[in-house]
Amino acid sequence: MKILLLGSGGREHALALKLTSAAGAVDLVSAPGSDALGELGACVSLDLEAPAAVAAWCAAHRPDLVVVGPEVPLVAGVGDAVRALGIPVFGHDAATARLEGSKAFAKAFMARHGIPCAASHTVTDLAAGEALIEGWAHGFPIVLKADGLAAGKGVVLAPDKAEALRTFRAFMAGQFGEASRTVVFEAPLVGMELSLHVLVDVDARHAAYAMLPACQDHKRIFEGDRGPNTGGMGAFGPIPFLRPEDVERMRRDLVEPTVRGLQKDGLTARGVLFLGVMWTASGPELLEYNVRFGDPETQVLMQLLDEDLAGLLMEVAEGRFRARDLKVKPHTAITVVLAAEDYPEGAKKEVPITVGAPAVTLIHAGTRKQNGQWVTNGGRVMNLAASAPDLTAARAAVLEALGEVGWSGMQVRRDIGLKALAHAQAGKTVQDPW
Ligand code: AMP
Ligand code: GLY
């Protein structure tokens, strides 16, 4: 099977390792790819924001399947353009990708379909937003979200009205261009955040989905959840204290209304939805939709999934997925991100990396090969990922492997999964304060 994989980061390397490790032969082409992806197949230089360019390559090379990693090409309409050629795409149409591409659209969808989420106001006018902040009565922090894609930087939790005003004015002045000239204000939700991935195959005649194990990401740069936000410094799953009835509750309250809502609204879905969930005192509430796999959650999920990935993604892409429980190893998986010096403000590049022989999976995210030597080439540089019968053993496996990989200035959190482990060991459930 010839597969074109769009993207170049850790998520894509994890997908590529899984795709190429299966028994059936996969002929992988990545765009733009990376030196690490180049070890698993060919790489081609394509502008992922240009649907016509991706479609032109596909028309000439006729891949059997296109798998889209990041959200930007989906929002730009790459899925629509390639599907128009009759080539199956694992990745949503632009209309459905608005669930991530427009926070206002996503909130309206949630409201329309009765999906529990934070109270919100969408504002497109400076004076109206300033008045909203002045009279704010939903508690602090005030959550401000740029409507459009802002590379993960468009959500600000403002501790007081003055900070909210500053942020709002910067947004309206075009801090993220058009993306921040519409602003969603939200009431703060308090609780435990988790990442829920659902494969979805929905059209007018058919609606099928399958939930993947819930994961937990660690957003802050430093141990103990301190310091600035990052794209994610490590993740694990499933969450040890999440009971089957808790997962059922998320299915009933969040997933089923989402799938029914897509169908009612006439939206086609052929990919994954990653629900950002806050488990509050009153149960699970939806923070956001992403229309792609999470990074680093994918590095966890690929350790757990016991399916032929190419075949599974093809079923969804061709609209012939039938709801079933996916085969998942009875394990806990974990990934730890190895980040560059200066991340997340910047990323020190071209630092030589020492790679020994880790006994776990080594995933490349921001690396490059220079004269035969791996060097840093991004903020999140590599991941180590492992699975084991439980979280304690999985943690031990990656922590031990940390000795095998390193460079000067490398940043790593050694506490991935530790808070959840303590919560579980204390006999607490998801209902207890986090
Ligand atoms: P989003 O991109 O909408 O998920 O927001 C990014 C991050 O901001 C989330 O992962 C949460 O940690 C946080 N966040 C978003 N919305 C809220 C909210 N209403 N209350 C508290 N935290 C939030
Ligand atoms: N790990 C969070 C994300 O991929 O958005």
Side-chain angles (χ1 to χ4, degrees), residues 12-100:
E12 287 76 22
H13 196 229
L15 290 169
L17 287 170
K18 184 90 176 172
L19 287 169
T20 53
S21 69
V26 163
D27 174 10
L28 184 74
V29 181
S30 304
S34 64
D35 289 333
L37 283 160
E39 295 188 343
L40 301 171
C43 292
V44 292
S45 165
L46 284 177
D47 178 358
L48 302 192
E49 292 184 46
V54 179
W57 189 92
C58 290
H61 297 87
R62 302 301 304 185
D64 300 297
L65 172 67
V66 177
V67 177
V68 186
E71 63 279 12
V72 169
L74 295 169
V75 172
V78 164
D80 311 57
V82 176
R83 241 186 303 274
L85 301 169
I87 295 172
V89 180
F90 182 86
H92 304 291
D93 289 346
T96 302
R98 286 187 78 202
L99 287 172
E100 180 167 0

Side-chain angles (χ1 to χ4, degrees), residues 103 118 143 145 155 157 186-189 193 219 278 287-288:
K103 303 258 187 212
V143 182
K145 302 184 174 185
V155 175
L157 307 186
E186 273 186 25
L189 295 177
E193 201 171 332
K219 289 274 186 192
M278 187 74 92
L287 287 171
E288 62 162 351

